[in-house]
Amino acid sequence: MKIVALSCTQKRLPSLTDALLEAAITGVVREVGDAEIQRIRLIDHRIAMCEGEDTCLDPEVGRCTLDDDFEQVVDLAEGAQAMLLAMPVYAGNVPAVLKIFQERLKSFMNASQRPFGNLLVGTIVHSRTMLTEPALGSLFPWYLRLRNKNVASACFTQNDHQDLTRTAAFDLCVAVGRQLGMTLDGSRSPANNRTALPLVQSPARPRCGDPAASSPGA
């Protein structure tokens, strides 16, 4: 089973984003024994900004005409069933390298198979001070457009912690990976092979206004 690990930092190695992403990878590998991890660091590839010509949407063209590494990155995700995405927050939003990549994927808007689409996703967002949740929220329109399903997320604020990998953030990233792995494993396992949890129901309680609901002297 192929899983893309997408690092959206704009720093060269080593980076906190990649360390948190590696923690999530350990989690998904723990749950999916045959996991094939395809690591992609966007900053390591030459991906130019979309020029907004929209020639890629012309059926006779059918592809982005910019000459860079974009198609190579798209090819790396071929055949993936899931994605772990980790990103820092820059200026209160997604990093520029990810925004550029999102816009370039527009070239596949009319394609029957959308690269980086129809995936189960686990998402990790971190920042120095704040705004992790708004940045996470800004990803969901992109996920919806690609028909992705986010199954687990984690947001971390660094504040006074010099190294988030030595805090509970590391364990939570592992948990994001494990949740993604368990969801993947459940999606390919027949329902009759899975353990059904017993249904626990609370005893019936009298409704408001029923005689039994009123106690004497109340």
Side-chain angles (χ1 to χ4, degrees):
M1 181 174 291
K2 185 173 180 177
I3 301 168
V4 170
L6 187 66
S7 171
C8 304
T9 182
Q10 290 174 195
K11 290 184 177 181
R12 303 299 177 180
L13 289 171
S15 78
L16 175 59
T17 301
D18 288 282
L20 296 176
L21 183 58
E22 286 298 323
I25 290 172
T26 63
V28 76
V29 169
R30 187 182 303 177
E31 300 298 331
V32 182
D34 61 344
E36 173 195 348
I37 307 298
Q38 176 62 65
R39 293 170 174 80
I40 301 175
R41 300 186 79 248
L42 290 179
I43 196 63
D44 291 341
H45 300 272
R46 187 171 54 92
I47 303 176
M49 288 189 296
C50 175
E51 296 181 354
E53 296 292 339
D54 288 346
T55 54
C56 57
L57 301 179
D58 187 335
E60 296 184 2
V61 178
R63 57 178 292 274
C64 182
T65 57
L66 294 177
D67 184 16
D68 58 10
D69 298 338
F70 174 68
E71 286 195 12
Q72 298 175 26
V73 174
V74 167
D75 290 343
L76 289 174
E78 179 70 26
Q81 289 84 45
M83 176 172 66
L84 285 167
L85 183 150
M87 73 174 195
V89 176
Y90 295 149
N93 212 316
V94 302
V97 68
L98 176 56
K99 187 65 170 67
I100 290 171
F101 186 64
Q102 290 174 336
E103 292 176 355
R104 290 290 298 278
L105 284 173
K106 181 185 67 174
S107 58
F108 294 95
M109 187 178 296
N110 295 327
S112 56
Q113 296 292 329
R114 298 182 181 181
F116 288 85
N118 297 302
L119 304 175
L120 294 174
V121 183
T123 310
I124 297 166
V125 181
H126 69 92
S127 71
R128 291 184 182 277
T129 54
M130 56 186 295
L131 299 177
T132 53
E133 287 81 3
L136 173 65
S138 68
L139 289 173
F140 289 114
W142 182 54
Y143 286 168
L144 288 172
R145 189 165 64 250
L146 294 174
R147 300 186 181 93
N148 290 337
K149 180 181 179 182
N150 191 77
V151 300
S153 304
C155 293
F156 308 108
T157 302
Q158 191 167 357
N159 290 324
D160 295 330
H161 299 292
Q162 295 300 314
D163 185 3
L164 275 179
T165 63
R166 303 183 66 179
T167 69
F170 185 89
D171 296 326
L172 289 172
C173 288
V174 174
V176 168
R178 292 193 65 189
Q179 179 65 35
L180 179 62
M182 286 187 286
T183 306
L184 282 167
D185 193 54
S187 66
R188 65 179 178 177
S189 300
N192 56 6
N193 288 342
R194 284 180 257 155
T195 302
L197 295 177
L199 179 63
V200 178
Q201 293 182 326
S202 301
R205 290 183 293 177
R207 299 175 59 185
C208 182
D210 289 347
S214 302
S215 58

